[in-house]
Amino acid sequence: MTHVEDELNSQPECWTRVAAEAVAHAKVLPAPGERVALVGCGTSYFMAHAAAVLRERAGQGETDAFAASEFPHGRAYDRVVALSRSGTTTEVLDLLGALRGRTPTTAITADPDTPVMAVADDVVVLDYADERSVVQTRFATTALTLLRAHLGLHTDRAVADARTALSAPLPEGLVDCAQFTFLGRGWTVGLAHEAALKMREAALAWSEAYPAMEYRHGPISVTTRSTATWMLGEAPEGLAEQVRETGGLWVTGGLDPLAELVRAQRLAVALAAARGLDPDRPRHLTRSVILDANPR
C-alpha cells in the first residue's frame, strides 16, 4: 500500500477527532462578525476557498480566500487564517511575516517543528493528520473539517459518508476515461478544483474544474464518450441529462461533498496504479515549495 492510500483511508478517524477538538481551538479561529481572509497554496488554497464560502454563507461575516502570493495588502482584515501542511511554504511564511504586528494571524499546520510556529500569532497543530506522501489528502480535509465544525456545520453524516466513499466500489468505467471534469456550487467549487488537482498530481490526468452553471458556457464542448463529469453536491436542473446526451459519463455526487472528494482521491490513486505511476512521488513536485531567497 502506498502512503497516500494509508493516509486517505484514515480520514474518517481524523475528522471525528478534529471535530471533537474544535471547541478547544475556537479562541484562535475567526469569531462571528470578523472580516476574515483565508489563504494557502495549492490544495490549501482550494480548502481556504471552500471554507470562506461556508463561513460567509453561514452569516458569520465577510470572508475572502486568496492564494498566499496574491493577498491584497491594501485591504483590512480582522484576522487572516493560513493553511499550510508543512509550515514551510515560502509564500505563506512571507505573508505571515508581513502581517505580523498589523493583523492577527492563525496558522493551521501539521508540523509543530517548522517556521510557521514563529511567524503566526496563533497556531493550530493537526499533527495526527500529517502525511508522508507529497499528494495531500487527510490534512486538507481535516483542516476543512475543523473549520466546518467551528461554524457548526460538521455532522456525523460526513464521517459516515466518508466511510462509504472508502468502501463502496468506484463507478464503473471511470478508470478508463481520458478526461475528467469536476463541478461544484458554492463551497464545493473549491472541492471540485481540489479533486481535479488530485487527478493531475497523482495520475497525470487531463482534469478540469468549474462552477457547475459555467459548464454549459464552453467547457461542455470537450465532452465525449471518454469524458467523466463528476458533480460534487447538488447538480443544476437538467445538467446531468445534457452531459449524458454528449455521450459522456455523468457521476452523481450523492454523498456529503467532502466525502465525494475522498472518492475522487481514490480515483486518482486507482488511475495512477493503472498507469504505472507512484502517487506518493508525483513528477516535478515536492512536499513543500521552498523558494530560494537569492535566486541567480
Side-chain angles (χ1 to χ4, degrees):
M1 181 178 290
T2 61
H3 294 311
V4 71
E5 287 176 284
D6 181 58
E7 289 156 1
L8 73 86
N9 284 329
S10 70
Q11 287 175 106
E13 291 73 27
C14 288
W15 297 4
T16 298
R17 178 170 175 176
V18 81
E21 296 175 351
V23 172
H25 298 304
K27 290 185 178 179
V28 302
L29 296 175
E34 286 186 332
R35 188 171 192 242
V36 173
L38 293 105
V39 301
C41 298
T43 289
S44 291
Y45 167 53
F46 296 139
M47 296 299 100
H49 184 278
V53 176
L54 279 173
R55 183 176 186 271
E56 189 161 303
R57 293 192 174 183
Q60 292 286 299
E62 185 175 344
T63 315
D64 296 321
F66 302 102
S69 58
E70 298 296 321
F71 183 80
H73 288 275
R75 294 189 189 179
Y77 290 98
D78 298 311
R79 180 170 293 273
V80 172
V81 178
L83 281 65
S84 176
R85 175 181 64 171
S86 69
T88 61
T89 304
T90 298
E91 298 101 301
V92 172
L93 296 179
D94 286 350
L95 174 59
L96 293 174
L99 294 174
R100 192 153 182 95
R102 296 194 295 114
T103 303
T105 60
T106 297
I108 302 175
T109 188
D111 192 341
D113 299 315
T114 54
V116 76
M117 303 295 291
V119 293
D121 296 317
D122 298 294
V123 181
V124 176
V125 178
L126 307 177
D127 51 357
Y128 52 87
D130 203 356
E131 296 158 330
R132 296 179 64 181
S133 177
V134 169
V135 173
Q136 279 201 57
T137 54
R138 71 181 178 192
F139 173 75
T141 62
T142 301
L144 182 53
T145 297
L146 169 64
L147 296 170
R148 286 181 85 183
H150 177 64
L151 295 169
L153 300 175
H154 173 75
T155 66
D156 292 339
R157 180 203 162 188
V159 176
D161 280 1
R163 297 189 192 281
T164 299
L166 291 167
S167 60
L170 290 170
E172 188 175 350
L174 269 179
V175 174
D176 298 322
C177 290
Q179 192 271 336
F180 303 85
T181 299
F182 295 89
L183 305 178
R185 303 181 82 177
W187 73 284
T188 70
V189 173
L191 302 187
H193 281 289
E194 171 57 12
L197 179 62
K198 288 286 91 66
M199 298 296 293
R200 291 191 291 270
E201 289 178 332
L204 306 182
W206 173 16
S207 57
E208 302 175 351
Y210 303 96
M213 291 297 288
E214 286 295 303
Y215 193 51
R216 297 182 177 98
H217 295 271
I220 197 171
S221 65
V222 301
T223 304
T224 69
R225 293 186 181 278
S226 62
T227 299
T229 303
W230 191 325
M231 184 71 213
L232 281 74
E234 185 177 355
E237 184 176 355
L239 185 56
E241 292 76 11
Q242 191 169 356
V243 169
R244 292 187 182 110
E245 288 172 0
T246 70
L249 174 64
W250 173 263
V251 182
T252 300
L255 302 175
D256 178 273
L258 198 54
E260 283 295 324
L261 177 58
V262 174
R263 281 215 299 166
Q265 293 169 347
R266 284 185 60 208
L267 172 62
V269 173
L271 187 59
R275 295 181 174 185
L277 302 171
D278 181 356
D280 283 336
R281 299 175 182 83
R283 68 180 186 183
H284 313 317
L285 296 179
T286 57
R287 188 172 183 274
S288 173
V289 176
I290 302 174
L291 303 177
D292 188 345
N294 298 293
R296 294 181 180 180

